[in-house]
Amino acid sequence: FIYQIRKLAITFYVELVSSASVVMLPAIAIYAFVLIPNLTLGPLDVPMLPVTDRIVDYFDHSALQIFMVMLMTFFGGQLIWRERDSRLNEISDATPASNTVMLISKYLSLALIIVTVHLVFMVAAILIQLSREYYEFNFPLYLQMLFGVQLLENLMFAAVAVAIHVVLNQKYVSHLAVMFFYVYTVAAPRFGLEHKLLI
C-alpha cells in the first residue's frame, strides 16, 4: 500500500515537472522577483532593507497567493483528470492500485509541487536580497515561514481543490468552484466570518 503510494506519487510528480506546464514555476519566481522589490519601497520610494522577515511576509501577498491558487487548481485538475483526459481511465481502473491509492498519491504529488514552489520562493527571496547587496540571510525564518505556516495553509487548500475535483466530477466547473472557494476565504471576514476555523 505505502510502496504503491510512494511510487505513484513520484511518477505523477516527475510527469508534471517534465510537462510543458512546469513553466508556471519559473514564471512565479520571476513575478515574485519583480513584485517584491517594488513592495519594499518605503516613504518617498526609498528602498527599505530587504531583511528576511520583511521579504517572507510579502510571499503572503494577494498577488502571489492568486498565482498559487491558480497553480494548485490547474495541477490538481490535471492530476485528477489525468486518465480521463488521455482516455485511459478504463485501463487504469483495471490496474491493481485502488482508487484510494491513486487519490492519495495524486494529492502527495500535488504536495510535492507545492514544496517545489516554496523552494522556488526561497531562491527568489535570496536573489532579491543579493540584488540589494544584503547578505544576512535568516535561513531558520525561511524554513519556519515558507515550510511551516504558509506550506500548511497551501497543503490544506490543495486538499480542498482535490476534493472539489473529485466531488463535482466536472473539470472546468471544478476549476471555477476552487476559485470561488478562494474568493470566499478572502471575502469571508467582510461578512462577519473572521475565525480561521470557521472559514
Side-chain angles (χ1 to χ4, degrees):
F1 179 78
I2 294 173
Y3 175 79
Q4 281 184 320
I5 289 173
R6 183 169 57 84
K7 292 294 285 185
L8 283 171
I10 293 169
T11 301
F12 294 148
Y13 172 75
V14 170
E15 188 177 293
L16 284 176
V17 169
S18 59
S19 68
S21 53
V22 78
V23 297
M24 292 176 75
L25 301 181
I28 288 178
I30 293 166
Y31 186 64
F33 188 80
V34 172
L35 175 72
I36 290 175
N38 293 330
L39 294 173
T40 56
L41 294 175
L44 303 175
D45 289 341
V46 176
M48 294 186 287
L49 280 176
V51 294
T52 303
D53 57 344
R54 185 175 290 148
I55 296 290
V56 168
D57 280 342
Y58 287 119
F59 282 118
D60 209 23
H61 191 269
S62 57
L64 286 173
Q65 276 301 309
I66 290 170
F67 250 113
M68 280 298 297
V69 168
M70 289 171 62
L71 182 139
M72 288 185 280
T73 304
F74 177 75
F75 280 131
Q78 199 169 354
L79 284 165
I80 296 300
W81 289 85
R82 174 180 173 271
E83 290 82 14
R84 280 175 281 188
D85 281 347
S86 55
R87 299 185 180 182
L88 295 172
N89 51 314
E90 292 181 4
I91 296 173
S92 67
D93 287 342
T95 59
S98 66
N99 288 337
T100 305
V101 168
M102 294 294 284
L103 190 59
I104 293 172
S105 59
K106 286 178 180 182
Y107 173 73
L108 288 177
S109 64
L110 183 58
L112 286 173
I113 287 287
I114 293 168
V115 170
T116 304
V117 173
H118 281 252
L119 280 171
V120 167
F121 278 164
M122 191 165 124
V123 171
I126 292 169
L127 289 175
I128 289 167
Q129 290 178 309
L130 288 172
S131 69
R132 295 287 184 87
E133 297 181 359
Y134 186 85
Y135 306 107
E136 295 179 23
F137 309 117
N138 189 345
F139 289 108
L141 185 59
Y142 277 130
L143 296 175
Q144 181 185 345
M145 293 301 293
L146 287 175
F147 298 97
V149 179
Q150 291 181 9
L151 179 62
L152 287 174
E153 287 184 3
N154 285 330
L155 289 177
M156 285 190 287
F157 189 90
V160 172
V162 169
I164 287 173
H165 274 284
V166 171
V167 171
L168 291 185
N169 204 26
Q170 293 287 335
K171 185 175 182 179
Y172 299 106
V173 174
S174 299
H175 284 336
L176 194 61
V178 174
M179 296 305 292
F180 274 127
F181 177 78
Y182 173 69
V183 172
Y184 154 74
T185 60
V186 172
R190 297 183 182 181
F191 301 103
L193 296 173
E194 296 183 357
H195 198 284
K196 288 275 189 182
L197 287 177
L198 190 59
I199 292 172

